[in-house]
Amino acid sequence: MNPARKKKMVVLIDWYLPGYKAGGPIQSVASMVSRLNDEFDFAIITADTDLHETTPYAGIRSNEWNTLADGSRVYYFSKSEKHFSKLKQLMLDEQADVIYLNSLFSLFFTIYPLIIRKNFMPSRKTVLAPRGMLGKGALDIKPFKKKMFLLAARIAGIYKNITWHASTNLEAEEVKKHFGKKQKIRIATNLSSPKAPPVLNRPKEIGSARFFFLSRISSKKNLLATISAFSKIPVGCNAALDIYGPIDDVAYWEQCKGTMLQLPAHLSINYNGAIANKEAEAMMSTYHFSLLQTQHENFGHSIVESMAAGCPVIISDQTPW
């Protein structure tokens, strides 16, 4: 091997840039690519739509390689072309030094690649980042289905002979709990994009404050508890909470809206939909606090982004922070 050649890393992920609705995993991979581009030749394999969307991204070519501004190559699968045989051929053609996976439960972007690797390239180094999916808060959502899957995966040996990328010591312990203490685990915190120091210019009046929540709307992110806590701000304090993020669980969102309808008159909550990452920094600079009472977070990109924007965070104790 030519020592000057950069190692090739093939990254498989359900959603990637220019997508943003899947949140943290997209940011984790994008930051890894931007920070380590000098050391690795990145090739990302993903879908051509964002989370919960059916229309392909504008400006990309589906079912072929696209070169992004950072020099990385991205292959965007359309729904109609997502076949095992096509993925197998793509992975064999790439001949990566490292295969990097970003989900435990994704059939097409984790399970299929592991099967392909096991049967056609067994010596290929493979790294799997669970992205918080082994945390109690995450496993408590559809618990029976996930526990049965993990049991079947262990019996079938799907996750054998891989390296686990744990973001924290806690995540490493979660891997050992579910897959045994002999697992090969490397602990490295997720990377975030480099930021310039924030320019702080937030007008603040005594007795009033503006809060925001930025995350997918699902029970794991615990928006309902955030709204309940917000509703207890006493009379005499005017406060507003703006919610940003895609609706991941419609039934859960209906519960949240029901609680919002019971707010006292001195408090207000508004839902502003999903927001692109490139717009989030400017948005954060206009608020006094961010709120994220999550049930589990293996990193928490919105927490880091808030701090980078000079906005204090109010979070649960279920994060590395």
Side-chain angles (χ1 to χ4, degrees):
M1 180 182 295
N2 183 353
R5 182 183 74 87
K6 291 194 293 186
K7 287 188 175 182
K8 178 184 285 188
M9 184 182 296
V10 169
V11 181
L12 294 106
I13 183 170
D14 288 80
W15 303 280
Y16 191 61
L17 300 177
Y20 58 89
K21 294 185 177 181
I26 295 176
Q27 292 177 266
S28 293
V29 172
S31 297
M32 179 178 71
V33 171
S34 67
R35 293 292 190 99
L36 302 179
N37 231 345
D38 291 339
E39 300 179 42
F40 291 94
D41 174 15
F42 285 99
I44 297 99
I45 300 174
T46 188
D48 68 354
T49 57
D50 207 349
L51 177 67
H52 301 317
E53 296 293 335
T54 56
T55 303
Y57 301 118
I60 63 99
R61 301 182 307 278
S62 299
N63 307 312
E64 58 180 282
W65 287 104
N66 297 250
T67 302
L68 302 191
D70 59 10
S72 59
R73 295 182 305 124
V74 183
Y75 191 99
Y76 294 98
F77 266 106
S78 68
K79 185 176 181 181
S80 62
E81 292 294 315
K82 285 172 70 175
H83 303 300
F84 180 91
S85 59
K86 179 63 179 177
L87 180 62
K88 182 185 99 173
Q89 190 58 54
L90 206 59
M91 291 179 65
L92 291 175
D93 288 346
E94 284 302 298
Q95 287 298 303
D97 298 290
V98 181
I99 300 168
Y100 189 93
L101 309 172
N102 291 274
S103 172
L104 272 177
F105 304 115
S106 172
L107 176 63
F108 193 81
F109 293 104
T110 298
I111 306 305
Y112 281 1
L114 287 173
I115 293 172
I116 292 165
R117 179 251 194 175
K118 180 180 179 181
N119 290 284
F120 302 99
M121 47 179 77
S123 62
R124 197 75 70 227
K125 184 173 183 179
T126 301
V127 179
L128 194 157
R131 301 293 178 208
M133 294 181 184
L134 286 173
K136 184 178 183 302
L139 291 177
D140 282 346
I141 302 168
K142 299 179 180 178
F144 179 77
K145 182 178 179 180
K146 289 179 179 178
K147 287 177 181 177
M148 289 300 99
F149 176 86
L150 291 174
L151 176 61
R154 286 196 299 269
I155 294 172
I158 291 175
Y159 300 112
K160 286 183 68 175
N161 302 319
I162 66 170
T163 298
W164 295 87
H165 170 196
S167 297
T168 62
N169 289 320
L170 175 60
E171 191 164 51
E173 291 304 314
E174 291 166 353
V175 171
K176 293 176 185 177
K177 176 181 177 181
H178 292 282
F179 293 96
K181 295 183 178 180
K182 294 182 179 180
Q183 296 298 312
K184 185 178 181 182
I185 304 170
R186 295 291 180 266
I187 301 171
T189 189
N190 289 327
L191 298 171
S192 58
S193 301
K195 300 288 182 185
V199 177
L200 301 180
N201 184 24
R202 290 182 179 84
K204 174 72 173 66
E205 296 179 2
I206 294 174
S208 68
R210 299 184 69 230
F211 301 82
F212 77 87
F213 169 97
L214 173 60
S215 190
R216 289 180 294 110
I217 295 173
S218 67
S219 58
K220 177 189 172 185
K221 303 299 183 178
N222 219 11
L223 176 59
L224 190 59
T226 298
I227 295 171
S228 297
F230 179 80
S231 70
K232 293 179 174 60
I233 294 176
V235 174
C237 300
N238 296 315
L241 170 63
D242 286 339
I243 299 167
Y244 297 88
I247 297 171
D248 214 24
D249 185 331
V250 175
Y252 182 78
W253 174 233
E254 290 300 319
Q255 286 183 272
C256 293
K257 288 198 295 184
T259 304
M260 288 160 58
L261 292 174
Q262 301 172 31
L263 285 176
H266 66 289
L267 303 176
S268 66
I269 298 182
N270 297 296
Y271 174 58
N272 296 320
I275 184 170
N277 296 334
K278 61 184 179 181
E279 300 169 1
E281 183 176 356
M283 176 275 289
M284 292 174 179
S285 66
T286 66
Y287 290 88
H288 302 117
F289 299 95
S290 69
L291 300 176
L292 187 64
Q293 308 302 303
T294 179
Q295 293 186 24
H296 183 273
E297 214 69 38
N298 74 316
F299 184 65
H301 281 278
S302 68
I303 298 170
V304 180
E305 298 291 327
S306 297
M307 293 190 287
C311 184
V313 297
I314 301 173
I315 56 178
S316 74
D317 60 358
Q318 300 302 305
T319 80
W321 305 96

